[in-house]
Amino acid sequence: MADSSFDIVSKVERQEVDNALNQAAKEISQRYDFKGVGASISWSGEKILMEANSEDRVNAVLDVFQSKLVKRGISLKALDAGEPQLSGKEYKIFASIEEGISQDNAKKVAKIIRDEGPKGVKAQVQGEELRVSSKSRDDLQTIIALLKGKDFDFALQFVNYR
């Protein structure tokens, strides 16, 4: 019998991020506390640009966007938001969506699987993802539970479970 396997990835649905951004923009345009402060949120190339006329307001824009991401099931670990920067009379925050597991992070996850997981489970790095395979599907379930219990500084999803 062939080995069962699954992939560990760190991907974000671009359409869901876009929907969250649009919902945040709509809420910002309608909320009373954002009237007349020049608050906005939009795509700026591959980055997300948040603007307002004060540092507190631009942080509030970020907070609204984060709440919309959470409602859409996107982990905040995938959002990399910078510090507010003064640009002319406006404060700006640039944020980006992080995807893919770096080589260092993939090695950390593979080490946890080797050290704490059941024997006979193999983990191999494949580009920006990690393939975990074993003869026993129960062992794979154990690995998923183990990794969900850990707190990583990046988002993990489990896909292609076979």
Side-chain angles (χ1 to χ4, degrees), residues 99-112:
E99 289 192 308
I101 301 174
S102 70
Q103 290 291 324
D104 292 341
N105 289 337
K107 287 177 185 173
K108 285 180 198 169
V109 173
K111 182 171 175 19
I112 288 172

Side-chain angles (χ1 to χ4, degrees), residues 54-73:
S54 75
E55 192 170 343
D56 292 340
R57 288 284 173 247
V58 80
N59 282 326
V61 170
L62 176 61
D63 192 44
V64 168
F65 182 54
Q66 287 175 335
S67 71
K68 298 302 178 192
L69 286 174
V70 169
K71 282 184 182 171
R72 294 209 151 266

Side-chain angles (χ1 to χ4, degrees), residues 49 108 137:
L49 171 64
K108 285 180 198 169
R137 285 182 167 228

Side-chain angles (χ1 to χ4, degrees), residues 58-99:
V58 80
N59 282 326
V61 170
L62 176 61
D63 192 44
V64 168
F65 182 54
Q66 287 175 335
S67 71
K68 298 302 178 192
L69 286 174
V70 169
K71 282 184 182 171
R72 294 209 151 266
I74 298 171
S75 172
L76 292 181
K77 292 177 181 176
L79 180 70
D80 182 25
E83 292 297 313
Q85 300 168 344
L86 184 60
S87 171
K89 293 182 179 177
E90 297 257 303
Y91 280 88
K92 296 181 178 185
I93 293 179
F94 285 98
S96 60
I97 302 297
E98 300 291 321
E99 289 192 308

Side-chain angles (χ1 to χ4, degrees), residues 1 12 18 36 48 53 64 94 124:
M1 182 175 149
V12 176
D18 205 33
I48 298 161
N53 66 359
V64 168
F94 285 98
Q124 55 202 51

